[in-house]
Amino acid sequence: MLNLSKMPLKRKLALITATTSVVALILACTAFFWYEWRSYNKDIRSYLECISAIIAENSVPSIKSGDTEGLERILATLENEPHIIAALIRTIDGRTLTEYKSADIDDVTFPASVESGVQFTESNLMHVSMPVQADNETIAHVSLLSDARIINDQFWNYLEITLGVMALSFLVAWLLSSRLQQIITTPLLKLAGLAKQISEQKDYSVRAPEVGQDETRQLVRAFNEMLTQIQARDKILRQSEDYLKTMLDSVRAGIIMVDAHTQKIITANACAIELIDKPREEIIGKHLTEFISFNTPHPAHPETAATNHRADVQALIKRYTDKGVPALLSRARIRWRNEDYEVNSLVEISKLKQTEAALAYERDLLKSLMDNIPDMIYFKNNSGRFTRINHAQANAFNLDHPDQAIGKTEKEILGHEEHNGTDEARTLNNGIPVIGEVRRKPEPDGSPSWFSVTQVPVRNTTGIITGLVGISRNITDQKQTEESLAAKATELERSNRELEQFAYVASHDLQEPLRMVASYTELLARRYRGKLDEDADEFIAFAVDGATRMQQLINDLLTYSRVSTSGKPFKPTDFNQSLEYALANLRMTINAVNAQINHEPLPTLPADSTQITQLFQNLIANALKFHSDDTPRIHISAGLVQQQQTKTSKASREWRFAIRDNGIGIDPAFKDKIFMIFQRLHGYSEFPGTGIGLAVCKKIVERHSGRIWVESEFGKGSSFYFTIPEYIDNNGSANNKTH
């Protein structure tokens, strides 16, 4: 076997090209002739026999019926087959039933033989005969004649295939030769690519791999030896450059070296590039003033090559993303290798300016706050001397300006100590703050003034107390308002207790005489009904009805007063059980109107169980009383909601209950009136009652720190809502708890 790795390049390329061409041609010709020999005769015979069989099958009905025109139509379909020049259908005794000839044929002779199959005639025509069978008997024969055009067509196909195979063979030869030539070209291309990589990346440590035994191996060895020499020289240069670059980049100031005469940038360290905020390649070679503008005139440099000439100026580093970065620029001229250069050192001072601006803003903000706030603010050092006060404190000291108090004690200003010296000492010595302490100060006219005082220690960065800051607020008006409100609340509570006691006593004391009046009027009605005239009977009936209504009214008034006076302590109450008790009390009324009542699961909350039962009973009875013509339907539900924070209470959670019905509804204009005592929207004859039931509901809900309201439209039913806090104490106050 030939060793291609040791063969010269010319012979190697020639052998590769010849080998690939021969192999491709042999493969192409062998494949073509094998294909043609196997498929030509089989395909043409099968095609003609298929057409004959189709004509024979379709001709059976027409032959049996003697339909000559039908047979002609069948043979007329051969016009779509240009290579079939004639066709004949004849009986088994040789009689012609119909015949077809193509337009360009004048005369043609069919073989006398009707033997089935494919035959060639003397005129070099292909004759195909196919029997026509019906009921397993041959009744006719179909004969087709095909001219040589099909052979010519096949010949041209052969020619096209040959050309295609030749083209394919050439392509295969080309691909093979190209592939095999890579044995030579690949090492050379790799070597060229490696040389380009080294030129771009300056990495001289890379080596080309040695391959083969020919001239390529010698070329690679020479190339690698050259890289070794270059690498040794580059290492020395890189060490010097890295040392200098490391030293410059470690400096936290921007350093830019420029030509002393052209002011073009020669190099810049990392800090300078970061300050200018541009890539290094866009900086090197550009004029210094493209990136630095001077706030002061450019310092003059002597024409001589003097060294250590130095000047400091204010500068602005230009940036296209903002207005620039302020910096302090130090410039020094040096001489190196008989050339003059300038070294520019940049130090950014924007953070310093921002800090100064922030401190000035905070100082102005603090001054504005202290000068305009109505509270008295003061600062003291460890000695108890004022270091700063605001205008409100200066006015309290009767000073013309706050600066008049600086360095003085309170006694030196007023002649006496106004603040609690003990609290001040605890704050300064122990760091104990005074938060919101209320202090009383007598005024010259003898009236008291009240102040809320807060004092906290001031510490330095190490945590040592250096003084204190105090805020004092005059709360005399607030104190007087609180005292007035407390007195009014006490008086109102006393008045309410007396009123409730009066209502209870009055209604209780009226029971006995009222029962006597009612008894005697009923006795009078029973004994003298029908014995006097009709007017007397009517008058007696009015008296009985009035006494009964008065008795009911007094009972309701007693019930209303007992909500506050006879309430039980709050304890965990199952609202489901309270609802069941209320429904049991209303069972007769519910059955009387066939009401449908359902409810969702209800919670257990701190409450007065008896009053909760009465609350449910009054609301459900109200829905039963004011029902429409439809079957009364009542639904009770409850859900936990978050109560919104108000000026007088914090946000808390509460349960919202709903009693919905399909009754006659309420005009929204009367949604508040119905909860007032003895307020009715209907006449007594239309709907009996005293109008106190919903007022009792409102009083019960308010005792439980809840709210009650109604949402309704006239004729569309009503929804009564009331709330009970999730947590409530026995004083009726909601407790806020975090979950």
Side-chain angles (χ1 to χ4, degrees), residues 349-385:
I349 58 175
S350 59
K351 292 183 179 179
L352 177 61
K353 288 184 173 293
Q354 291 174 0
T355 303
E356 291 177 352
L359 289 175
Y361 173 77
E362 291 183 1
R363 183 175 60 251
D364 295 340
L365 181 63
L366 179 60
K367 184 177 183 303
S368 176
L369 178 64
M370 291 187 61
D371 290 344
N372 292 282
I373 194 169
D375 294 344
M376 294 167 282
I377 303 175
Y378 54 90
F379 293 84
K380 289 185 178 183
N381 58 19
N382 281 333
S383 302
R385 296 184 178 275

Side-chain angles (χ1 to χ4, degrees), residues 21 48 84 111 161 192 234 283 426 445 447 470 504 566 585 627 654 674 718 727:
S21 299
L48 292 175
I84 298 178
I161 294 173
D234 183 68
I283 297 175
R426 287 204 306 268
D445 59 359
S447 61
Y504 177 78
S566 302
N585 295 337
H627 67 82
E654 61 185 8
I674 60 175
S718 302
Y727 297 97

Side-chain angles (χ1 to χ4, degrees), residues 509-558:
D509 292 344
L510 286 175
Q511 289 280 13
E512 184 59 32
L514 188 59
R515 278 196 295 270
M516 183 177 294
V517 172
S519 298
Y520 279 103
T521 52
E522 289 176 359
L523 180 62
L524 186 64
R526 288 196 302 270
R527 180 172 298 180
Y528 294 101
R529 180 175 292 134
K531 296 181 179 181
L532 303 176
D533 57 10
E534 293 181 0
D535 290 340
D537 291 340
E538 184 178 2
F539 295 158
I540 294 174
F542 286 158
V544 172
D545 181 66
T548 303
R549 289 173 59 186
M550 178 63 73
Q551 199 168 22
Q552 182 181 359
L553 188 63
I554 292 174
N555 289 332
D556 289 344
L557 186 60
L558 277 172

